Amino acid sequence: DGGITQSPKYLFRKEGQNVTLSCEQNLNHDAMYWYRQDPGQGLRLIYYSQIVNDFQKGDIAEGYSVSREKKESFPLTVTSAQKNPTAFYLCASSLQGPNTEAFFGQGTRLTVV
Amino acid sequence: EDKVVQSPLSLVVHEGDTVTLNCSYEVTNFRSLLWYKQEKKAPTFLFMLTSSGIEKKSGRLSSILDKKELSSILNITATQTGDSAIYLCAVEEYGNKLVFGAGTILRVKS
């Protein structure tokens, strides 16, 4: 089945550690996105990528890094520089071009312990 | 800075009520406005609006875009407990940037 898969569903990180969240899609979508969602709030854009080997910072990119080496994969690394990383992280993808909806993964809940 | 503002932030209604959720935006290169419903984890798509004044409808939900006022509304009639969710508004800009608002938390009481 076509879709977008995030893993793991739950992740615990010790302070000072880097962790990487996985996002894979088999929808042949060009554009991919990472959002952060804090309790009771909307989605804030971390990074997005329109095409392989290219990505742009969103509104809250500090403390995060991404790569886009393959069309189907857009991993997000939460670095130790991110001061408050505990949140729900959502990955999405969409077709390139106008007026296309984004499809979301089921999310990863990251907790710093 | 691009901005998408939703109001109210939260709302509690009784079953059968009609609700109107608002979304206003300030973005550089508007392409479309999208509404999503988020119940547990992944937001699910409701509507995409590109043209002013044309209502999109799906069952008890409808939405319309006003490009002059840079805003959109989402109406839900005869609300049910299953409508309880976070409703997210997003604006797509040229270059595939998708910016979300903070969402409206809707709770429908039986």
Side-chain angles (χ1 to χ4, degrees):
Chain A
D1 280 2
I4 181 165
T5 304
Q6 289 185 241
S7 63
K9 286 186 182 176
Y10 300 95
L11 187 56
F12 295 89
R13 188 195 95 169
K14 290 184 182 176
E15 286 198 28
Q17 275 185 339
N18 291 356
V19 289
T20 297
L21 283 57
S22 169
C23 179
E24 304 274 332
Q25 53 96 4
N26 60 5
L27 300 166
N28 202 31
H29 285 171
D30 290 298
M32 295 188 75
Y33 310 82
W34 274 105
Y35 294 93
R36 170 185 171 137
Q37 187 174 33
D38 292 285
Q41 295 189 30
L43 279 60
R44 291 186 290 169
L45 183 63
I46 305 173
Y47 270 98
Y48 65 107
S49 167
Q50 298 172 64
I51 199 166
V52 174
N53 292 324
D54 187 43
F55 47 83
Q56 286 79 41
K57 290 182 179 180
D59 300 318
I60 56 164
E62 188 177 344
Y64 299 98
S65 66
V66 293
S67 62
R68 188 86 188 274
E69 295 175 6
K70 296 186 294 183
K71 187 176 185 177
E72 56 270 22
S73 179
F74 192 40
L76 174 74
T77 296
V78 185
T79 74
S80 56
Q82 171 47 238
K83 297 194 187 324
N84 185 21
T86 295
F88 186 56
Y89 291 87
L90 280 162
C91 178
S93 69
S94 69
L95 287 168
Q96 184 71 278
N99 308 331
T100 58
E101 68 185 269
F103 293 82
F104 284 85
Q106 292 299 306
T108 293
R109 188 166 300 281
L110 173 63
T111 304
V112 172
V113 295
Chain B
E1 187 184 311
D2 299 330
K3 231 173 11 174
V4 178
V5 178
Q6 291 186 244
S7 63
L9 289 180
S10 66
L11 191 55
V12 180
V13 300
H14 288 95
E15 270 194 313
D17 288 350
T18 293
V19 297
T20 298
L21 310 182
N22 300 284
C23 177
S24 63
Y25 59 90
E26 291 178 32
V27 299
T28 311
N29 294 302
F30 176 89
R31 183 182 268 178
S32 64
L33 186 143
L34 301 94
W35 284 96
Y36 285 82
K37 178 182 181 182
Q38 186 182 26
E39 291 178 87
K40 288 185 181 173
K41 292 188 176 179
T44 54
F45 173 76
L46 294 174
F47 297 111
M48 177 184 292
L49 305 159
T50 56
S51 302
S52 233
I54 298 175
E55 186 184 51
K56 292 264 181 112
K57 201 167 168 61
S58 175
R60 296 175 295 101
L61 277 67
S62 64
S63 185
I64 196 161
L65 175 67
D66 186 338
K67 280 187 175 178
K68 193 174 173 186
E69 296 296 325
L70 306 182
S71 65
S72 172
I73 59 170
L74 175 68
N75 280 320
I76 309 175
T77 59
T79 51
Q80 303 170 357
T81 53
D83 294 327
S84 296
I86 300 176
Y87 288 85
L88 297 163
C89 171
V91 171
E92 183 199 3
E93 299 179 55
Y94 282 92
N96 280 101
K97 187 178 180 184
L98 193 59
V99 179
F100 280 81
T104 293
I105 302 171
L106 174 65
R107 185 177 156 217
V108 182
K109 294 165 83 170
S110 57

